[in-house]
Each structure stands twice: as C-alpha cells, then as structure tokens.
Amino acid sequence: GWTVLQKSDVWVGWVMKNKIQWCKAEKSLPFALEKIAMLIEDKENYPDIFKRIEESKVLTHDIVHISLDMPFPFSGRDYIVKYVTEKTDIDYIYTFTSNDDIVVPEREDYVRLVRAGGRWRLSKIDDKNTKVSYTWNGELRGDFPNWGLERAWKTQGTEVLNWLNEALKNKESSN
C-alpha cells in the first residue's frame, strides 16, 4: 500500500499506518552488510555521514539525541531515540523509537520530534552487495507546511541513502 514518490536508484514511498505517515527509502549498495553496519552503528559520527545531522550525542549505549539542520526558512528538528538491534545471517535490523528516559532540554529555534521512530534494515544480497532500507516517521511538526511533505520525504530518503553510499566509498578509498 505504499504511495511511490520516486523510482530511481533510490526508491522512496510513504504509507499512512495508525494515523502516522511512514516513509521508506531503499537502495542496493555495492558493499558488504558488515561494512554498512559499522557506519549505522557508529551513531556518534552520524554528522560525518549524514550532512543534515548537526549533532549526534550518544546518551547511553542505546539512547541517542540527534539534532537536524533544516533548510531555510524552517526551524531545526531534534529527537531522542532508543535503538534495538536484531541480527541474523542475512539481515541486520536497527529499530529506533522515541524515548524520554533521559531528559534533554529543548533548544530554542528547534522543534522536538516527540514521535520520532524508524528502522534501518540491511539485507545481504551477496558477499559484496546489500539492500539498505531506511524507514522513518514522516511527521515534521512545527512550521512545516503539509503541501511540502512529499517533496521533503523524497529529498530525505534520497539524501540519506546517497550520503551513506558516499561515506562508504570514502571509507573504502582511504583504506
């Protein structure tokens, strides 16, 4: 039941489920599952991978506070999520859900995404290729207009997976 927003090297779509707009982006990357997992698990260095992330503070081993830089004229966004990891031989799944176990003061000029959540799914195609699926709650809250949501979701899904691919290429060329 996904509404497809883009069919290219990055597939992007969205669906309404339980009154929440869920978005998903998928792309096959020419890297081993374990190499991609190393970057997804390195949450402290997300700003080096994902260009819209200003700051990623690891609060505990599984709780992270992330601040996002939104394009002008919109306010930045931030959220606190707890990660749960599941691994099998062919799939690594990182589910993140909104968490308020640790209080982080809200920043001025930022909108707190109180229902943030999503999932990274890395599915092994073969030893050198992995399908990456990134799903997230598309709610942006605050001053973001509804008419711009689909464009924002398409941009976000494409950027996130292309930035991940770029970071993997850079890491490989530096080794």
Side-chain angles (χ1 to χ4, degrees):
W2 292 93
T3 299
V4 177
L5 300 176
Q6 175 174 285
K7 277 186 180 178
S8 65
D9 70 319
V10 178
W11 179 95
V12 182
W14 77 276
V15 66
M16 183 71 79
K17 187 174 183 179
N18 299 326
K19 298 183 181 180
I20 296 174
Q21 299 151 321
W22 290 100
C23 306
K24 180 162 52 172
E26 295 180 332
K27 180 180 177 90
S28 293
L29 298 180
F31 298 96
L33 181 146
E34 296 79 11
K35 285 187 178 183
I36 299 169
M38 284 175 37
L39 292 186
I40 299 299
E41 292 173 10
D42 188 11
K43 296 167 193 73
E44 195 168 288
N45 287 310
Y46 276 9
D48 297 333
I49 301 165
F50 307 109
K51 293 175 176 54
R52 286 204 194 280
I53 295 181
E54 292 179 319
E55 186 174 38
S56 182
K57 280 189 181 175
V58 176
L59 305 174
T60 70
H61 76 284
D62 59 353
I63 298 176
V64 183
H65 176 233
I66 296 176
S67 300
L68 302 170
D69 180 26
M70 297 291 286
F72 179 81
F74 305 108
S75 299
R77 303 295 193 265
D78 77 332
Y79 55 92
I80 304 161
V81 289
K82 182 174 186 171
Y83 280 82
V84 174
T85 303
E86 303 169 57
K87 294 183 179 181
T88 69
D89 290 343
I90 59 168
D91 281 315
Y92 286 14
I93 301 169
Y94 305 93
T95 302
F96 53 96
T97 53
S98 187
N99 186 278
D100 60 6
D101 289 349
I102 299 174
V103 175
V104 175
E106 291 191 36
R107 294 167 58 181
E108 191 175 317
D109 295 332
Y110 277 73
V111 174
R112 175 72 44 95
L113 300 177
V114 295
R115 299 191 318 169
R119 173 177 290 151
W120 286 97
R121 182 182 200 118
L122 312 179
S123 301
K124 184 177 184 174
I125 297 170
D126 57 38
D127 289 343
K128 296 182 180 180
N129 295 284
T130 304
K131 180 180 174 183
V132 178
S133 176
Y134 170 60
T135 305
W136 72 98
N137 175 341
E139 181 180 68
L140 287 171
R141 299 187 71 221
D143 56 0
F144 204 91
N146 283 338
W147 57 262
L149 286 174
E150 288 189 357
R151 182 175 178 197
W153 296 334
K154 185 168 76 169
T155 299
Q156 180 176 347
T158 302
E159 286 178 346
V160 165
L161 293 184
N162 284 337
W163 288 333
L164 179 61
N165 189 42
E166 184 181 311
L168 287 157
K169 285 180 184 176
N170 290 342
K171 190 169 182 73
E172 193 169 77
S173 67
S174 67
N175 288 338

